[in-house]
């Protein structure tokens, strides 16, 4: 197993930098969940396999990702396990508490190479932890755009 900032876990949470030129490491993921909702109005039958319709009445497809992990305090250093620049939880905090609230994000499994990637709204964000001690972050992300899932995440 590849070590990283979560002390042995292989999932990391990445944010695309402001210039959209590189991924940056926001934190290690301890728990995660994802759900894809695909409401349809007309469903497949034997004469129309694979056909469906979306409408404003039933809603449109969306993806929800829930994550929690270690709020890394390091910034501007290279994480030895992933080779990525660490922006830490400060950037996630800034995005989650500003009027912007959206970002291109990726949850990456360093062991398998699997990932979830796309543009998401940060619909929930918080930090918890003992003082002094490690802070943990929790975030809920939602997207109605094309979200890519590759391999085991």
């Amino acid at each position: 197993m590849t070590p990283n900032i979560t002390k042995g876990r292989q999932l990391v949470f990445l944010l695309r930098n402001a210039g959209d030129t590189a991924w940056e490491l926001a934190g290690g993921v301890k728990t995660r969940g994802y759900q894809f909702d695909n409401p349809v109005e007309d469903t497949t039958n034997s004469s129309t396999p694979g056909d469906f319709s979306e409408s404003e009445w039933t809603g449109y497809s969306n993806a929800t990702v829930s994550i929690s992990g270690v709020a890394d305090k390091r910034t501007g250093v290279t994480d030895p396990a992933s080779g990525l620049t660490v922006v830490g939880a400060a950037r996630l905090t800034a995005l989650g508490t500003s009027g912007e609230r959206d970002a291109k994000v990726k949850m990456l499994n360093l062991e398998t190479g699997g990932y979830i990637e796309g543009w998401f709204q940060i619909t929930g964000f918080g930090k918890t932890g003992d003082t002094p001690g490690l802070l943990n972050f929790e975030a809920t992300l939602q997207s109605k755009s094309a979200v890519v899932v590759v391999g085991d995440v």
Side-chain angles (χ1 to χ4, degrees):
M1 184 178 298
T2 304
N4 66 28
I5 60 174
T6 61
K7 298 182 176 142
R9 298 184 188 262
Q10 74 268 20
L11 290 173
V12 291
F13 182 64
L14 309 176
L15 295 168
R16 199 72 176 160
N17 70 359
D20 197 21
T21 58
W23 290 103
E24 296 175 322
L25 185 61
V29 177
K30 293 196 305 188
T31 60
R32 87 288 199 181
Y34 52 92
Q35 178 174 331
F36 293 87
D37 294 314
N38 298 302
V40 293
E41 189 170 284
D42 298 320
T43 58
T44 300
N45 63 40
S46 61
S47 64
T48 59
D51 289 349
F52 64 90
S53 299
E54 291 183 309
S55 78
E56 63 184 272
W57 304 108
T58 57
Y60 296 98
S61 296
N62 79 49
T64 302
V65 174
S66 300
I67 58 172
S68 68
V70 176
D72 199 328
K73 295 178 184 177
R74 302 174 298 167
T75 58
V77 299
T78 301
D79 177 59
S82 66
L84 297 164
T85 300
V86 177
V87 293
R91 177 127 187 273
L92 183 57
T93 301
L95 287 168
T97 58
S98 72
E100 192 174 345
R101 282 187 236 146
D102 69 321
K104 188 171 186 182
V105 303
K106 180 186 269 190
M107 185 168 50
L108 172 65
N109 185 323
L110 293 173
E111 189 174 85
T112 67
Y115 63 87
I116 296 174
E117 177 183 329
W119 281 96
F120 286 85
Q121 294 288 323
I122 301 169
T123 58
F125 177 75
K127 284 185 182 178
T128 59
D130 296 327
T131 303
L134 287 177
L135 279 175
N136 294 306
F137 72 88
E138 295 180 2
T140 302
L141 314 166
Q142 292 186 319
S143 180
K144 289 190 183 218
S145 65
V147 173
V148 177
V149 180
V150 174
D152 184 27
V153 183

